[in-house]
Amino acid sequence: MAKTVIETAARRALPKECCGLLVGHEKTISRAVEAPNLARDPDRFELDAKVHLSLQRDLRGTGEQIVGVFHSHPYGQPVPSAEDFAQASYSGWIWLITALDDKGCTSRAWRAEDTGFVPMALRCVD
Ligand SMILES: [Zn+2]
């Protein structure tokens, strides 16, 4: 389901990037929550902080937490861009990047470390 949410959001946002939050536990994603992309620049994303805060509140006491962020690269590769490096403020977060091309969607996960992005294996529970 998380994968479907992300791919649907990525297609709908074209030609802009989509974005949202990943909910789960450590390296396991249970669901993805789309958020409005407030960025004016089509090559960037700026997640609506209101969605972040209300999701954080909803998850309190559930055992689940926000473990990362997803966004799309409409005409690029599923690898972090220079803009992503500049904006990766949450160390330890998972960054899931979905690239769209004629063949479909390709998603890759990265972990934001203080030194940069490290590729990681990710498990989606559905
Ligand atoms: Zn990006």
Side-chain angles (χ1 to χ4, degrees):
M1 183 106 68
K3 196 166 173 266
T4 312
V5 168
I6 294 166
E7 292 187 1
T8 303
R11 288 185 204 286
R12 200 174 41 224
L14 283 171
K16 289 183 69 178
E17 298 188 359
C18 73
C19 63
L21 294 160
L22 301 170
V23 175
H25 186 71
E26 293 180 356
K27 285 187 196 173
T28 302
I29 305 299
S30 53
R31 62 192 169 100
V33 178
E34 192 183 356
N37 178 0
L38 303 180
R40 296 223 176 108
D41 182 342
D43 296 326
R44 282 172 181 269
F45 74 95
E46 185 188 334
L47 203 134
D48 188 343
K50 285 201 290 279
V51 173
H52 187 172
L53 289 173
S54 78
L55 184 60
Q56 224 163 18
R57 204 168 41 229
D58 293 348
L59 292 173
R60 213 172 280 159
T62 65
E64 286 193 315
Q65 53 190 337
I66 298 169
V67 292
V69 65
F70 71 86
H71 73 288
S72 60
H73 284 172
Y75 307 109
Q77 297 292 317
V79 295
S81 65
E83 286 79 10
D84 295 334
F85 280 103
Q87 131 178 61
S89 49
Y90 294 96
S91 188
W93 264 29
I94 297 164
W95 280 59
L96 188 84
I97 302 176
T98 297
L100 291 164
D101 63 25
D102 300 340
K103 294 185 210 82
C105 297
T106 310
S107 298
R108 277 168 70 182
W110 306 81
R111 183 175 290 278
E113 307 277 2
D114 292 333
T115 48
F117 288 98
V118 180
M120 66 177 288
L122 189 68
R123 210 164 72 85
C124 288
V125 289
D126 57 348

